[in-house]
Amino acid sequence: MTFTAMVARESADGISLAAETVDDTFLPLGEVTIKVEYSSINYKDALAVTPRGGVVREYPIVPGIDIAGAVSESTSPEFAPGDPVVAHGYDIGTARHGGYAEYARVPADQVVRLESLSTREAAAIGTAGFTAAMSVKAILDGGYRPSDGPILVTGASGGVGSVSVDLLSKFGFEVVASSGKPDAVDLLTRLGASSVIGRLPEDPEARIRPLDKQRWSSAVDCVGGRTLAYVLSTVRYGGTVAASGLTGGADLPTTVMPFILRGVTLAGIDSVQLGITARRALWQRLETDLRPQHLDLLTYEVGLDELPQALDRILAGGATGRGVVTI
């Protein structure tokens, strides 16, 4: 069997990404072989084709941290040919060939069977939407309700942020969406944001106070850095901040004050190493109460031949919503 794969290779000139014809010996070990129908575009995928991006262990690699398609072969009793499935996280697309190919092979304990979502919908949700669902779940599990006040979402025009806006508005929260992209205001409003504001802090040069005016009942932060420090200083007493991003930097210039004087909870969100039992349970909720309302508004389609340009856009911060890659 031969098939097409987008292969990233490293050389002295950098990292190239190009279509290659490969055979099934190219695939890694695993119990489940998937005929890939869709993947998606994530910031991590862009880093995989960036010199010193820090996410790929060894080249060559097929990027694509999200895989959605139908099982073509399985040696696991859990899956049968034809089953619609999704796989993401773990080492997919970073140390194991990922979704930017016509076929992928993964261990059975990294695969989730889909019940009501289509494979395209699953790819549109993907890692970013799954991370958003984890973030919203952290807030709901904290007992917060719409009557508690507005919830902030930073980096709201990105994949995690936009799905978070959609989900929080579905649960009736007043959502304040923070984004540095003026052209994203219409989309965020249609997703359910009550108001759209610019990047935080408003003055990027100002010193961030240990404690500032209390503004939000809780928050989903997709940015990190100074933005997260500001959010922590402005969340109301007892609030939860679900943090999953570092596009604003890995440093966190804050103090213990929000935690010990306002009882703020900083909930770290990691979708990469989440165990398969919890992963499958959350996908069940993504097919029911945590199912996004507006996937059609959130998604844009990309062909394999458009991948290099699309990855450049997301790396430069020029992408909005979720890019679905049609294989």
Side-chain angles (χ1 to χ4, degrees):
M1 178 182 69
T2 61
F3 59 94
T4 300
M6 296 294 290
V7 183
R9 293 185 181 275
E10 187 177 37
S11 69
D13 297 325
I15 299 172
S16 62
L17 179 67
E20 297 183 14
T21 299
V22 299
D23 61 31
D24 54 0
T25 62
F26 189 75
L27 295 174
L29 298 176
E31 295 82 28
V32 182
T33 303
I34 302 168
K35 188 178 190 328
V36 185
E37 297 169 358
Y38 299 97
S39 186
S40 69
I41 295 177
N42 301 276
Y43 190 73
K44 200 171 192 177
D45 299 316
L47 290 177
V49 296
T50 301
R52 298 177 296 280
V55 299
V56 173
R57 299 178 194 172
E58 187 177 358
Y59 293 90
I61 189 79
V62 175
I65 63 174
D66 293 330
I67 299 170
V71 174
S72 64
E73 296 179 15
S74 173
T75 59
S76 166
E78 291 185 277
F79 300 97
D83 284 349
V85 294
V86 63
H88 63 102
Y90 307 109
D91 58 356
I92 295 172
T94 57
R96 167 184 294 273
H97 295 320
Y100 296 166
E102 292 181 297
Y103 286 88
R105 184 176 290 147
V106 293
D109 61 3
Q110 296 182 8
V111 182
V112 179
R113 181 185 292 104
L114 299 171
E115 300 297 336
S116 62
L117 285 169
S118 69
T119 53
R120 187 186 185 283
E121 290 172 323
I125 293 170
T127 293
F130 188 85
T131 303
M134 290 182 69
S135 302
V136 172
K137 180 179 181 297
I139 290 172
L140 295 176
D141 289 350
Y144 304 101
R145 298 294 178 262
S147 58
D148 294 328
I151 289 184
L152 173 70
V153 178
T154 66
S157 62
V160 178
S162 57
V163 179
S164 296
V165 170
D166 184 37
L167 290 176
L168 288 166
S169 66
K170 178 180 182 178
F171 283 93
F173 287 98
E174 177 188 349
V175 183
V176 179
S178 168
S179 173
K181 300 175 184 174
D183 58 356
V185 172
D186 179 63
L187 171 63
L188 292 170
T189 301
R190 294 169 71 189
L191 291 177
S194 302
S195 59
V196 182
I197 61 176
R199 289 191 177 101
L200 296 173
E202 289 92 344
D203 182 353
E205 304 300 326
R207 184 181 69 87
I208 297 174
R209 299 177 180 176
L211 294 175
D212 211 322
K213 181 180 178 181
Q214 300 180 60
R215 302 177 65 179
W216 339 99
S217 64
S218 289
V220 174
D221 177 68
C222 310
V223 179
R226 286 173 51 82
T227 296
L228 176 55
Y230 176 79
V231 171
L232 289 168
S233 74
T234 52
V235 168
R236 294 178 184 173
Y237 187 91
T240 289
V241 179
S244 64
L246 48 65
T247 58
D251 293 338
L252 184 57
T254 189
T255 70
V256 299
M257 299 301 186
F259 312 112
I260 66 172
L261 295 183
R262 286 187 181 163
V264 171
T265 297
L266 177 58
I269 305 298
D270 170 58
S271 65
V272 177
Q273 297 299 332
L274 185 70
I276 192 60
T277 300
R279 188 179 299 267
R280 289 172 177 168
L282 189 57
W283 271 103
Q284 288 181 343
R285 294 193 63 180
L286 278 161
E287 297 198 272
T288 53
D289 63 316
L290 285 175
R291 189 170 188 152
Q293 306 174 92
H294 302 109
L295 278 179
D296 55 332
L297 296 179
L298 284 167
T299 57
Y300 59 94
E301 290 206 2
V302 175
L304 284 179
D305 58 335
E306 304 170 290
L307 260 178
Q309 295 80 11
L311 292 171
D312 285 343
R313 281 197 302 274
I314 196 170
L315 193 64
T320 298
R322 294 285 293 137
V324 173
V325 182
T326 303
I327 306 300

